[in-house]
């Protein structure tokens, strides 16, 4: 018996410093929270989607299809084309340092901080990846694959 291949999008990654005591072995050291293709995250629902233990005993094969902003890491700080500074907290969660709560960074981006000072190679990778395109391109590519919209972009 098998489960047909399906596309899911990861909502969250949970890591446990000590493996989680669940009563089952092996004890999970991490979980992926996923939603099936076509499902949009609803922040008002307490339980939505599925949890996967990527190192569990089930024979699950995963393949990364697309990761928005794959050239950035959580916590990266960038300056955009207009000189506005931003913190990357997740693909659809940008925090501007000027206190305004609107907008997204205008490409190209310049990597300012990555766990202290970025290496020249890291800075070049971000500059190269954002030389063309924009935030909307990342959003549209993700939405085309997931058949969903991020909760922060719903009307």
């Amino acid at each position: 018996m098998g489960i047909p291949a399906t596309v899911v999008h990861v909502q969250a990654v949970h890591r446990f410093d000590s493996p989680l005591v669940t009563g089952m072995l092996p004890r999970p050291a991490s979980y992926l929270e996923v939603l099936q293709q076509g499902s949009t995250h609803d922040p008002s629902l307490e339980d939505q989607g599925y949890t996967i233990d990527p190192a569990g005993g089930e024979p699950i094969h995963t393949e990364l299809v697309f990761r928005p902003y794959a050239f950035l890491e959580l916590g990266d700080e960038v300056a955009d084309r207009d000189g506005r500074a931003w913190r990357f907290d997740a693909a659809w969660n940008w925090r501007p340092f000027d206190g305004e709560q609107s907008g997204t960074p205008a490409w190209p981006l310049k990597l300012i901080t990555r766990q202290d000072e970025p290496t020249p190679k890291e800075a070049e990778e971000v500059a190269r990846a954002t030389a063309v395109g924009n935030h909307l391109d990342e959003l549209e590519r993700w939405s085309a694959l997931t058949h969903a919209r991020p909760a922060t972009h719903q009307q």
Side-chain angles (χ1 to χ4, degrees):
M1 180 162 102
I3 300 171
T6 186
V7 174
V8 298
H9 51 104
V10 177
Q11 286 296 110
V13 176
H14 302 281
R15 291 183 176 86
F16 311 112
D17 288 334
S18 298
L20 195 62
V21 177
T22 62
M24 297 178 66
L25 295 174
R27 292 183 172 150
S30 64
Y31 277 148
L32 301 177
E33 278 184 41
V34 299
L35 288 177
Q36 202 166 15
Q37 185 179 44
S39 298
T40 294
H41 175 68
D42 183 346
S44 68
L45 295 177
E46 185 176 318
D47 199 20
Q48 185 181 12
Y50 304 93
T51 302
I52 297 172
D53 177 0
E58 299 84 8
I60 295 175
H61 170 77
T62 59
E63 179 181 329
L64 178 63
V65 176
F66 175 67
R67 178 180 163 240
Y69 291 96
F71 48 87
L72 293 176
E73 295 179 11
L74 297 181
D76 279 357
E77 295 174 0
V78 299
D80 71 6
R81 175 185 64 219
D82 303 326
R84 194 171 177 198
W86 299 82
R87 179 183 165 96
F88 176 73
D89 288 326
W92 320 126
N93 187 4
W94 287 92
R95 187 174 45 126
F97 286 105
D98 60 14
E100 287 189 36
Q101 296 304 312
S102 63
T104 54
W107 288 20
L109 304 177
K110 178 183 177 187
L111 185 59
I112 301 170
T113 305
R114 175 175 286 167
Q115 300 174 356
D116 264 339
E117 193 168 325
T119 67
K121 182 179 177 183
E122 293 168 333
E124 172 58 29
E125 179 184 347
V126 171
R128 185 178 56 255
T130 61
V132 296
N134 58 42
H135 175 77
L136 186 58
D137 292 341
E138 292 285 292
L139 173 62
E140 291 305 320
R141 184 167 175 210
W142 181 86
S143 293
L145 290 166
T146 62
H147 301 238
R149 298 293 279 185
T152 57
H153 286 82
Q154 294 178 47
Q155 301 295 333

